[in-house]
Amino acid sequence: MPLYIGIETTGLCNLRCVMCPHGLPELKAKRGHMRWDTFVRIVDEAQHFAHEADLFGGGEALLHPRIFDMIRYTREAGIHSRLHTNATVLTEEKSRKLIESGLDYLSFSFDGYSKEEYERIRVNASYEQTLDNILTFLHIKQELNCSKPYTVIQVIETKPLDEKLRQKRRDLQAHFVDLPVDKFRFIHRHNYGGKVEGLPLQARAHFTPCTFPWYAIFILWDGTIVPCCVDWWGEYSLGNIAKTSLTEVWNSDRMINLRQKLTSKESYLEIAMCANCDRLWRQEQLGVPQRSSEVVKEFLRRNLIGYG
């Protein structure tokens, strides 16, 4: 059974970032908040096998009116909880609730090293306000002397690393000196299964099978079960949690077929959502995509050694 589950608590977002599918017309009419009973059904089953759960997906999780209840319910079920947020709607009250609810891991998306760059990428967001929201959270975490949630500042970069970019990274990190940031993560954009621009085609030199369907599963806001966290459209639906269970779909014929197709450079093209995905052409370590190996290593470190 999967060690890791993704739960799209909401598909709604207040931003229209340039690297995100949310701006695509075909996605606009298919977004909403997950129902509480749907969420409870997922967690009640997953508590028997999952060690960690993402409580976010294609939307901004802090927009869900019961997100703090969801964090608490996940914690009470014995599952570590993770949240990724753009921080634009993060207030002092919400910051305190995130800490008090028992959240284990919190990642802030802060893409752009200047006001101009940030607001060009994160359309509808304010550089100064978002930075202030993050700093307020960190001061509260420091004030309460809490090690959790393990806190990450994440930046998506589109240019090769050189000295100029290294300096921009240092300038960003200077905002958070002596504050409880556990890690800075600098990553490259991906193309959401070919839906948006991502890794350049010329960089696709070596095929590496995606490892996600062997250790994780994802549930969209409406209960649709999918094998991949970027399948926001439910193109490879495995059923709906209202009618079937995660246990039933995990080794279903459809899931087994997907795993078989993904092991081959030729057959993966038969899966529409995978055919143009750039995650199958990432650098690898010992046959595992580097990005996936980093996620697995971090997962093991946090769960075997502990957060913070």
Side-chain angles (χ1 to χ4, degrees), residues 185-197:
R185 176 179 290 123
F186 304 99
I187 66 172
H188 296 293
R189 66 196 298 177
H190 62 88
N191 69 359
Y192 293 92
K195 295 295 190 299
V196 296
E197 180 184 355

Side-chain angles (χ1 to χ4, degrees), residues 245-274:
S245 68
L246 299 177
T247 304
E248 289 173 314
V249 304
W250 183 243
N251 280 317
S252 63
D253 290 343
R254 191 161 170 77
M255 194 67 167
I256 291 172
N257 177 64
L258 173 65
R259 296 187 185 113
Q260 291 173 335
K261 299 294 185 186
L262 283 175
T263 60
S264 167
K265 184 177 179 180
E266 291 73 34
S267 61
Y268 89 92
L269 291 169
E270 298 174 23
I271 305 296
M273 71 170 182
C274 304

Side-chain angles (χ1 to χ4, degrees), residues 45-281:
E45 182 183 2
Q47 68 179 323
H48 300 295
F49 48 79
H51 291 274
E52 192 164 78
D54 279 349
L55 303 184
F56 62 91
E60 169 49 50
L62 291 180
L63 293 176
H64 197 293
R66 300 198 66 177
I67 188 61
F68 305 110
D69 293 329
M70 290 172 160
I71 296 170
R72 290 189 189 91
Y73 197 85
T74 305
R75 181 197 66 201
E76 292 167 359
I79 303 174
H80 286 142
S81 57
R82 291 166 41 100
L83 205 69
H84 192 64
T85 175
N86 61 39
T88 58
V89 296
L90 182 63
T91 62
E92 180 176 346
E93 180 185 7
K94 289 180 179 179
S95 292
R96 292 186 181 279
K97 285 184 176 181
L98 282 175
I99 297 170
E100 293 166 356
S101 63
L103 182 68
D104 292 292
Y105 181 103
L106 179 63
S107 176
F108 293 113
S109 285
F110 197 73
D111 303 317
Y113 293 110
S114 66
K115 174 179 174 63
E116 180 182 15
E117 185 179 17
Y118 174 86
E119 294 183 359
R120 176 185 62 81
I121 295 171
R122 297 214 153 245
V123 179
N124 298 333
S126 163
Y127 175 84
E128 294 89 352
Q129 184 61 60
T130 304
L131 179 59
D132 184 64
N133 292 349
I134 296 173
L135 290 171
T136 296
F137 169 85
L138 292 171
H139 282 295
I140 292 172
K141 181 183 175 184
Q142 189 174 60
E143 168 198 319
L144 296 175
N145 194 28
C146 292
S147 61
K148 293 197 305 183
Y150 183 90
T151 305
V152 176
I153 307 291
Q154 177 179 291
V155 183
I156 296 176
E157 296 178 333
T158 58
K159 297 179 180 179
L161 182 62
D162 56 17
E163 184 52 39
K164 185 176 181 180
L165 187 56
R166 285 191 177 92
Q167 184 57 52
K168 286 185 176 182
R169 288 181 176 183
R170 290 191 287 268
D171 292 341
L172 172 69
Q173 291 170 319
H175 290 296
F176 306 100
V177 172
D178 296 328
L179 289 173
V181 176
D182 296 288
K183 185 174 182 177
F184 290 90
R185 176 179 290 123
F186 304 99
I187 66 172
H188 296 293
R189 66 196 298 177
H190 62 88
N191 69 359
Y192 293 92
K195 295 295 190 299
V196 296
E197 180 184 355
L199 190 69
L201 288 174
Q202 61 266 28
R204 301 184 183 190
H206 187 77
F207 174 81
T208 306
C210 176
T211 55
F212 198 83
W214 276 268
Y215 70 89
I217 202 162
F218 194 76
I219 304 96
L220 298 177
W221 69 272
D222 62 357
T224 301
I225 306 168
V226 292
C228 178
C229 60
V230 301
D231 186 13
W232 295 1
W233 293 261
E235 292 180 333
Y236 201 90
S237 174
L238 300 167
N240 192 288
I241 195 69
K243 298 180 180 179
T244 188
S245 68
L246 299 177
T247 304
E248 289 173 314
V249 304
W250 183 243
N251 280 317
S252 63
D253 290 343
R254 191 161 170 77
M255 194 67 167
I256 291 172
N257 177 64
L258 173 65
R259 296 187 185 113
Q260 291 173 335
K261 299 294 185 186
L262 283 175
T263 60
S264 167
K265 184 177 179 180
E266 291 73 34
S267 61
Y268 89 92
L269 291 169
E270 298 174 23
I271 305 296
M273 71 170 182
C274 304
N276 294 307
C277 183
D278 57 10
R279 286 180 176 262
L280 298 169
W281 299 92

